[in-house]
Amino acid sequence: MTEERRHAPATLRNREAIADVLAQTLPASGTVLEIASGTGEHCAYFAGRFPDLLWQPSDGDADALSSIAAWCSDRANVQSPIAIDAAGDWPDVAADAIFCSNMIHISPWETTPGLFAGAERVLQSGAPLILYGPYLRAEVATAPSNLAFDESLKSRDPRWGIRTLEAVDAVAADHGFTRESLHEMPANNLTLVYRKGPLR
C-alpha cells in the first residue's frame, strides 16, 4: 500500500451492502460519476464488482484525488479522478448514473442543492442518483449513535450535521428528481435512490 492511500475503516463494513443496492440500480453499461470519492476505496471496490461500467471518481480535495488515484491505479475501468466541488460549478462531464457516499452530512448544506443541481445538468431522464449515509426521518426514532454523531459533527463545524430525509427529498424535487426507493443499511445508515424525472 502506498503512502498516498488513505483508509476509511467504515468502507469495509458498508461496501458490500451498498454494492447490493447498486446491483439493482445501476445500468448494465455506461459511466458512473462518483461525487466526493474520499479515499477512493469505494470506487476501487465497486469498479471490481461492476467491471462492465466505467467509473469516474471525483473530489474537491487535492489529497483525496491522490488517494483515489493510488487505490484505483490497477482498475482498467476507472478514469483518472477529477476535481469537483459539489456546491460549485461542475466541469463538463457525462454520466449515466451518479453515486455519492457520506458527503451530505460532512459538508455545508449548500452542497446538497449543489449536488442535485449538478446531477440535473449531467443526467438524462430516468438516470439514478444514489446517496448513502445517515439521515433523520420524521416519525422514525433516531438511533442514539446517530444523535451522538450529529452532535460530534456540529461540534467540528456548525454547518455540518445529519440532514432530514424530508429536506433532501424537497431539494430533489426542486431539481426534478423523485425518490424511487430507500434501503436500510448497516450502522443506521440509508441508501437513497432518486431518479431524474417522474417514476415510470
Side-chain angles (χ1 to χ4, degrees), residues 68-87:
I68 297 162
W71 276 105
C72 298
S73 61
D74 62 346
R75 297 288 193 237
N77 60 327
V78 176
Q79 295 183 305
S80 297
I82 57 176
I84 293 182
D85 173 6

Side-chain angles (χ1 to χ4, degrees), residues 122-140:
V122 169
L123 296 178
Q124 298 297 313
S125 179
L129 168 59
I130 305 154
L131 307 181
Y132 171 84
Y135 296 88
L136 305 176
R137 288 182 280 175
E139 302 180 0
V140 175

Side-chain angles (χ1 to χ4, degrees), residues 31-42:
T31 299
V32 181
L33 171 64
E34 184 180 19
I35 297 296
S37 299
T39 64
E41 292 168 279
H42 269 154

Side-chain angles (χ1 to χ4, degrees), residues 12 25 38 52 63 77 79 82 87-88 102 105 109 111 113 138 149 187 198:
L12 293 176
T25 308
D52 293 332
D63 290 336
N77 60 327
Q79 295 183 305
I82 57 176
N102 287 326
H105 58 288
W109 171 248
T111 62
F149 184 39

Side-chain angles (χ1 to χ4, degrees), residues 9 27 38 43 76 88 94 120 133 141 154 175 190 193-194:
C43 188
E120 183 181 13
K154 291 174 179 175
H175 292 280
L190 301 174
V193 178
Y194 294 90

Side-chain angles (χ1 to χ4, degrees), residues 15-94:
R15 65 186 189 179
E16 291 187 13
I18 296 172
D20 288 343
V21 177
L22 295 181
Q24 305 170 36
T25 308
L26 293 176
S29 61
T31 299
V32 181
L33 171 64
E34 184 180 19
I35 297 296
S37 299
T39 64
E41 292 168 279
H42 269 154
C43 188
Y45 178 76
F46 296 146
R49 178 84 179 259
F50 304 99
D52 293 332
L53 289 165
L54 182 64
W55 294 80
Q56 176 60 76
S58 72
D59 206 280
D61 177 77
D63 290 336
L65 295 178
S66 296
S67 179
I68 297 162
W71 276 105
C72 298
S73 61
D74 62 346
R75 297 288 193 237
N77 60 327
V78 176
Q79 295 183 305
S80 297
I82 57 176
I84 293 182
D85 173 6
D89 293 327
W90 292 22
D92 187 15
V93 60

